[in-house]
Amino acid sequence: MYVMTAVGADGKVAGSTLTWLSQCSFHPPLVMIAIQKTSQMHDAVEASGGLAVNLLGEGQKEIAKAFFRAPEPDAGRFGDYRYEPGPLTGAPLLTDVPAWFEARLTDTVDRGDHTVFVAEVVGAGVRDAAAKPLVLSDTPWNYGG
Amino acid sequence: MYVMTAVGADGKVAGSTLTWLSQCSFHPPLVMIAIQKTSQMHDAVEASGGLAVNLLGEGQKEIAKAFFRAPEPDAGRFGDYRYEPGPLTGAPLLTDVPAWFEARLTDTVDRGDHTVFVAEVVGAGVRDAAAKPLVLSDTPWNYGG
């Protein structure tokens, strides 16, 4: 599970839990991400063309839950969770998670109730290389936004 | 992990192991799938616009391995594995796997070394509702085609 973030048109940051994401190319390094069309995150990605994905560790179900409806961002925090701006996109990087990447939008498929965004990974970092990922099947949920 | 199948332009069926797949819409039910551009599967999906995805069960690592380079199809079998044609697309449904779906191509993103195919799920079946899925992290592999 992931917490995706982006900077909206008004400069306000958005964050939301995400499960529909996969790598989709090695060269260049691309990911495909499906985002609910009615969400603030959708508007922010379309506006800025940049995004960050924060990879949750296996013990971080509470962070996933918190970002089903993100806490109001204020002074470098989403509620309990501190972030710093991504060096390339400005999208928030949660400082508590084991790994993250930043990506720039390349293509969009507007077909269903979620838009498919294809984005090129332009930067990444690992804070805890030993961490195992939080996976949806280890949670009580079937879908994470 | 999944074994994807499709019928090629020449009527010959293709099958290959797949890991880069996610749901990407509820209404309509869409999936996004990234397929290596140089593969026979890529050509088959582009030619027919139809595909099937066979969902592997947790004990079926051997099937995943067999379809890294699919056995030559012959008389309703890929090597050791029997299949029947999908009722809607003709794409092979492996009779040993716990679940499958058929889908029709709606959109394509040609950007990286894999093409992103977005497809609408048009049919599905479950043979073993109690089965747990085979996931990549339970295997020795990091990528499955």
Side-chain angles (χ1 to χ4, degrees):
Chain A
M1 299 187 76
Y2 315 94
V3 171
M4 182 166 155
T5 61
V7 182
D10 54 2
K12 192 173 160 186
V13 297
S16 70
T17 297
L18 179 77
T19 52
W20 290 353
L21 177 156
S22 170
Q23 188 172 348
C24 65
S25 171
F26 290 114
H27 306 288
L30 302 175
V31 292
M32 54 186 181
I33 305 171
I35 303 287
Q36 204 174 340
K37 285 178 74 167
T38 55
S39 66
Q40 193 189 359
M41 176 60 59
H42 190 279
D43 295 346
V45 172
E46 288 213 315
S48 70
L51 61 96
V53 173
N54 296 273
L55 286 74
L56 300 181
E58 64 180 342
Q60 300 188 312
K61 217 178 290 185
E62 286 309 310
I63 304 183
K65 193 174 175 186
F67 282 84
F68 284 156
R69 183 182 298 272
E72 194 67 19
D74 182 41
R77 306 186 75 93
F78 283 103
D80 292 342
Y81 304 105
R82 198 164 74 77
Y83 67 82
E84 50 199 22
L88 298 173
T89 64
L93 307 180
L94 301 181
T95 56
D96 290 335
V97 306
W100 54 269
F101 64 83
E102 289 182 279
R104 284 196 211 283
L105 189 60
T106 62
D107 299 274
T108 299
V109 178
D110 177 11
R111 174 71 52 186
D113 51 22
H114 291 56
T115 294
V116 175
F117 292 120
V118 176
E120 181 169 353
V121 175
V122 290
V126 174
R127 292 199 184 83
D128 177 4
K132 291 188 175 171
L134 176 64
V135 295
L136 193 59
S137 56
D138 289 339
T139 74
W141 312 305
N142 291 313
Y143 164 74
Chain B
M1 300 189 75
Y2 315 93
V3 171
M4 182 166 156
T5 60
V7 182
D10 54 3
K12 192 174 160 185
V13 296
S16 70
T17 298
L18 180 78
T19 51
W20 290 352
L21 177 156
S22 171
Q23 188 172 350
C24 65
S25 171
F26 290 114
H27 305 289
L30 301 176
V31 291
M32 54 187 180
I33 305 172
I35 303 288
Q36 204 174 339
K37 284 178 74 168
T38 56
S39 67
Q40 193 189 1
M41 176 60 60
H42 190 278
D43 295 345
V45 172
E46 288 213 315
S48 70
L51 61 96
V53 173
N54 297 273
L55 286 73
L56 300 181
E58 63 180 343
Q60 299 187 312
K61 216 178 292 184
E62 285 309 310
I63 303 182
K65 193 173 174 185
F67 282 84
F68 283 156
R69 182 181 299 269
E72 195 66 18
D74 183 41
R77 308 186 74 91
F78 283 103
D80 292 341
Y81 305 105
R82 198 164 73 78
Y83 67 82
E84 50 199 22
L88 298 172
T89 65
L93 307 180
L94 301 180
T95 57
D96 290 335
V97 306
W100 53 269
F101 64 82
E102 290 181 279
R104 283 195 211 284
L105 189 61
T106 63
D107 299 274
T108 298
V109 178
D110 177 11
R111 173 71 52 186
D113 52 22
H114 290 56
T115 295
V116 175
F117 292 120
V118 176
E120 181 169 353
V121 176
V122 290
V126 175
R127 294 197 182 84
D128 177 4
K132 291 187 176 169
L134 176 65
V135 295
L136 193 60
S137 57
D138 289 340
T139 74
W141 311 305
N142 291 313
Y143 165 73

